[in-house]
Amino acid sequence: MTRVFSGVKPTGHLTLGNYLGALRQWAAVDQHRADALFCVVDLHALTVDHDPARVRRLSRQAASLLLAAGLNPELCTVFVQSHVDEHARLSYLLECVATDGEMRRMIQYKEKAARERLRGGSVRLSLLTYPVLMAADILAYGTDEVPVGDDQVQHVELARDLAVRFNQRYGHTFVVPRATFPAVAARVMNLQDPLSKMGKSEDVGPGIVYLLDEPDVVRKKVMRAVTDSGREVVYDREARPGLANLLEILAACTGGNPEDLSGVYESYGALKRDTAEAVVEVLRPVRERHRELCADPGYVEGVLRDGAQRALAMARPTVDAAYRAIGLLPASSDTEGPDTPGAGAALDTAR
């Protein structure tokens, strides 16, 4: 059975872009067709200055929203990255295979490091090396497919490169994964800046629709979305990015086609109203289920505990195999015991 791995980083509140671009696909398709693991990658949230209490709060919220979006722990494995030590264990081994040049060529490192320097902050080493941790997240589970947005393709390519390099140097250990992409709304754009992704980490403001926004807040944000010059409603991603973003969001929410929908509307206002209502309705069950889960925190904790145990059982054989392959001595429980021939002499020599 195909194995799928993906995750969300608890650096901000999850958005409409996260839902339409990833979570809904995971719930509707991936968990049914594959042996799927979905992870709150909290270790990745430590690569920049952060509030520890906020990271814990957002990690818990992200896990609840994964379940609220429809992930079923009977069908897939939902867990928190830091609850499974194999991620950190494997990450160091892969750092010993990766190169400094590979890390510094990562586009997200260049962008995030530049932003950090502009703020007057220092760039943490973990920001440079976190793509290796992401590779460990993927490779530890023998992952075949990684559903990602197009901004993460470079990281999956690194995971592929490291898997191939490790296998060639130390013997076949890892499955070589591949990136997969959702067909519709893989990249929802900011409503106030349709040339920028609707991100959760760095941005705040009226251009971002959060999964837990109240319906009236959602309507207000969509109705205030930036559009383009001209009066005709046409779908043209290059020339009319604001309209294209609204049409793609509406299509993703209703199952339509952006080009076909553009012919239905004669005004921007009508398009915005229908898009706002479509977003409210597609998020309504997520908000309602999240409210139920918040009232039963023990259930979420149990799901994460069981998920971590299942994830550990899947990852440990691969990570242990990598430790052996790269040349590390097995732990004492796996080496010669006192009754093994020659062991006594070794003990005497040690004395």
Side-chain angles (χ1 to χ4, degrees):
M1 194 173 187
T2 299
R3 180 161 290 173
V4 169
F5 177 94
S6 200
V8 294
K9 186 165 60 173
T11 50
H13 300 286
L14 296 182
T15 72
L16 176 67
N18 298 126
Y19 182 70
L20 295 181
L23 273 61
R24 188 171 65 169
Q25 168 85 10
W26 299 351
V29 178
D30 292 332
Q31 69 174 340
H32 298 282
R33 70 173 180 86
D35 181 9
L37 299 99
F38 300 108
C39 181
V40 178
V41 286
D42 54 343
L43 294 176
H44 292 291
L46 311 184
T47 60
V48 295
D49 190 34
H50 62 277
D51 174 9
R54 186 170 187 265
V55 171
R56 283 191 292 270
R57 186 170 63 252
L58 290 175
S59 297
R60 190 174 296 110
Q61 183 186 88
S64 298
L65 282 170
L66 290 179
L67 299 175
L71 293 186
N72 183 348
E74 301 280 328
L75 299 175
C76 65
T77 302
V78 180
F79 67 106
V80 175
Q81 179 190 31
S82 64
H83 294 177
V84 181
D85 292 344
E86 309 312 291
H87 294 256
R89 287 184 67 209
L90 182 56
S91 182
Y92 181 73
L93 293 196
L94 296 180
E95 284 186 15
C96 297
V97 177
T99 68
D100 176 76
E102 284 176 313
M103 297 300 97
R104 296 188 187 279
R105 286 194 296 271
M106 290 287 137
I107 294 170
Q108 288 208 13
Y109 168 72
K110 293 178 181 178
E111 293 176 348
K112 292 180 179 180
R115 283 199 297 265
E116 197 67 27
R117 293 187 184 103
L118 279 175
R119 286 198 289 254
S122 56
V123 179
R124 298 185 181 191
L125 179 61
S126 57
L127 186 62
L128 178 66
T129 60
Y130 92 90
V132 178
L133 176 58
M134 182 174 173
D137 299 337
I138 296 166
L139 298 182
Y141 296 100
T143 302
D144 298 294
E145 297 180 3
V146 187
V148 292
D150 54 11
D151 59 327
Q152 292 292 331
V153 173
Q154 191 182 33
H155 290 156
V156 180
E157 287 302 314
L158 175 69
R160 289 174 57 85
D161 291 344
L162 295 181
V164 169
R165 191 177 306 154
F166 192 102
N167 290 346
Q168 289 174 342
R169 289 180 181 176
Y170 306 114
H172 185 78
T173 306
F174 298 117
V175 173
V176 180
R178 62 185 178 275
T180 59
F181 310 93
V184 179
R187 194 171 174 85
V188 177
M189 311 308 281
N190 190 301
L191 294 174
Q192 292 297 312
D193 179 10
L195 298 179
S196 300
K197 180 183 174 183
M198 187 182 284
K200 66 181 184 302
S201 300
E202 301 293 336
D203 304 323
V204 293
I208 303 173
V209 175
Y210 297 104
L211 297 189
L212 297 180
D213 278 346
E214 293 293 333
D216 285 346
V217 173
V218 172
R219 293 186 183 101
K220 185 179 296 185
K221 288 179 177 180
V222 176
M223 292 303 296
R224 292 179 177 176
V226 168
T227 49
D228 310 285
S229 59
R231 301 171 65 100
E232 187 180 3
V233 179
V234 294
Y235 179 68
D236 186 332
R237 213 168 219 256
E238 297 299 321
R240 312 285 287 279
L243 278 176
N245 190 36
L246 289 171
L247 288 165
E248 288 180 356
I249 291 171
L250 179 59
C253 290
T254 62
N257 177 282
E259 292 187 15
D260 294 340
L261 287 169
S262 67
V264 173
Y265 295 95
E266 296 182 355
S267 71
Y268 295 171
L271 171 61
K272 287 182 175 181
R273 282 192 294 273
D274 283 1
T275 302
E277 292 306 318
V279 172
V280 167
E281 289 308 311
V282 85
L283 295 185
R284 189 183 305 280
V286 178
R287 291 178 59 253
E288 291 175 352
R289 177 59 177 149
H290 181 263
R291 190 179 303 116
E292 294 172 359
L293 291 168
C294 287
D296 187 8
Y299 172 76
V300 176
E301 291 172 5
V303 167
L304 297 179
R305 182 175 59 250
D306 294 344
Q309 290 173 353
R310 289 201 301 270
L312 175 62
M314 285 186 245
R316 177 155 289 173
T318 298
V319 177
D320 283 349
Y323 267 59
R324 290 192 297 271
I326 206 169
L328 297 178
L329 192 67
S332 58
S333 60
D334 298 327
T335 56
E336 294 178 335
D339 297 328
T340 304
L347 291 172
D348 288 341
T349 302
R351 294 192 190 98

